[in-house]
Amino acid sequence: MEFKDYYVVMGVEPTASQKEIKTAYRRLARKYHPDVSTEPDAESKFKEIAEAYEVLKDAERRAEYDELRLHRNDPHFGQQAGYHTGGQQWQGRAGGGDTHDFSDFFESFFGNRGASAHYSSHQSSQSMRGQDIEMELPIFLEETLSEQTRAIQIPTYDALGRTDSTKTLKVKIPAGVGDGERIRLKGQGVPGLGGGANGDLYLVIRIAPHPLFDIDGQNLQIVLPLAPWEAALGASVEVPTLTGKINLTIPSGSQSGQRLRVKGKGLASKKGTGDLYAVLKVVMPPKPDEKTRALWQQLSEQAAFNPRTGWE
């Protein structure tokens, strides 16, 4: 009986990961699926691919197959393992089972242990679930504060995963959604083949950069510029938030880099709402005129302040 090299059938290396094997199967199955393929002898090729994947997708069966593949030319190994090599008929390992769509090679070594219900008959071997699709959905920070319903244009696909048109869907965006999170739209991916289920469409949330706020988990951060006298004397300063402006009290003697917390003005989440942190930044006015320069000189002499005393 001719040995079947399932790795060659799948077009992958024997060291391929399970993810690589799955990706190869999806690609080849769509290429040779009898419902859509124009390749010659597509049906037999599809069955060969399904048989190879049936073995390689399962870690235990793959380990057995790798052992067989490694020692396939060793007659002593064949006798110990309970089958015969060298072109003779192999001894069945399990016997029986509805695996008639697979080769004698598969039947002899795996029997009914190998074929799952998905491939156990000719009818089911023609059925395949459609691919899942991902697309990015940009939203503004303000839109994360409460549940939103948005009408979006999404692509539609044919059975080979090609975009052929678009349609409009109303999508609910939950409050507190974060960058990179996914919203699943069941059955909106690539159509299945041979009666298989459609794939799903996943909307990947991408929060658009904000001109004022940086995101730190559920908290927001804003740089708050202050005049030197506001930092020195203290002040009440108007500060923007995602829901409007507030007045923030600046303590006298505030320093650049100091953070003031505004509770409950961050991003929403299932655990509650984060906070807003105002990071103070003392900003000098432009080059002074003669009168202003004299006032700064007077302040310098009266304050007698040396900011570098720590160096001494």
Side-chain angles (χ1 to χ4, degrees), residues 32 44 55 63 92 100-101 104 115 122-123 136 146 167 189 234-235 280 307:
Y32 291 104
S44 62
V55 173
H100 57 268
D101 279 340
D104 290 342
H122 176 78
Q123 180 180 3
E136 293 191 347
S146 60
K167 62 181 177 181
L280 306 186

Side-chain angles (χ1 to χ4, degrees), residues 123-186:
Q123 180 180 3
S124 62
S125 70
Q126 307 304 304
S127 174
M128 188 169 71
R129 183 183 181 276
Q131 284 182 294
D132 294 334
I133 300 294
E134 282 191 356
M135 63 176 288
E136 293 191 347
L137 177 63
I139 65 173
F140 295 112
L141 269 178
E142 291 82 352
E143 294 179 290
T144 69
L145 296 180
S146 60
E147 183 179 283
Q148 305 285 328
T149 299
R150 184 191 293 186
I152 65 170
Q153 291 281 328
I154 67 168
T156 58
Y157 302 90
D158 62 17
L160 293 178
R162 298 173 299 197
T163 303
D164 54 8
S165 62
T166 61
K167 62 181 177 181
T168 302
L169 285 181
K170 288 187 176 181
V171 179
K172 285 188 177 181
I173 305 172
V177 69
D179 189 72
E181 291 188 29
R182 303 197 307 169
I183 298 175
R184 177 191 179 205
L185 302 181
K186 186 176 180 181

Side-chain angles (χ1 to χ4, degrees), residues 76-287:
H76 299 292
F77 175 80
Q79 293 169 7
Q80 294 170 5
Y83 58 83
H84 304 288
T85 57
Q88 300 178 23
Q89 181 66 37
W90 293 24
Q91 177 181 335
R93 297 291 296 273
D98 186 14
T99 60
H100 57 268
D101 279 340
F102 290 160
S103 68
D104 290 342
F105 173 87
F106 180 94
E107 292 270 354
S108 296
F109 189 64
F110 291 103
N112 67 354
R113 297 177 309 149
S116 64
H118 184 67
Y119 297 112
S120 63
S121 68
H122 176 78
Q123 180 180 3
S124 62
S125 70
Q126 307 304 304
S127 174
M128 188 169 71
R129 183 183 181 276
Q131 284 182 294
D132 294 334
I133 300 294
E134 282 191 356
M135 63 176 288
E136 293 191 347
L137 177 63
I139 65 173
F140 295 112
L141 269 178
E142 291 82 352
E143 294 179 290
T144 69
L145 296 180
S146 60
E147 183 179 283
Q148 305 285 328
T149 299
R150 184 191 293 186
I152 65 170
Q153 291 281 328
I154 67 168
T156 58
Y157 302 90
D158 62 17
L160 293 178
R162 298 173 299 197
T163 303
D164 54 8
S165 62
T166 61
K167 62 181 177 181
T168 302
L169 285 181
K170 288 187 176 181
V171 179
K172 285 188 177 181
I173 305 172
V177 69
D179 189 72
E181 291 188 29
R182 303 197 307 169
I183 298 175
R184 177 191 179 205
L185 302 181
K186 186 176 180 181
Q188 298 297 334
V190 175
L193 295 174
N198 289 357
D200 300 328
L201 173 64
Y202 288 90
L203 301 177
V204 182
I205 299 297
R206 292 296 177 218
I207 297 179
H210 197 281
L212 295 178
F213 302 106
D214 291 324
I215 301 174
D216 181 15
Q218 295 303 124
N219 299 323
L220 294 177
Q221 183 171 285
I222 186 171
V223 175
L224 175 56
L226 295 176
W229 47 88
E230 290 176 322
L233 303 176
S236 179
V237 179
E238 194 174 71
V239 177
T241 73
L242 289 180
T243 55
K245 295 181 178 180
I246 61 169
N247 289 320
L248 181 62
T249 299
I250 309 300
S252 61
S254 292
Q255 304 289 326
S256 280
Q258 186 175 341
R259 286 165 36 113
L260 300 181
R261 176 190 178 204
V262 183
K263 188 175 181 180
K265 291 297 182 179
L267 298 177
S269 72
K270 295 178 180 179
K271 298 180 180 179
T273 304
D275 302 325
L276 171 65
Y277 287 88
V279 182
L280 306 186
K281 180 181 179 181
V282 178
V283 180
M284 292 298 297
K287 186 176 181 180

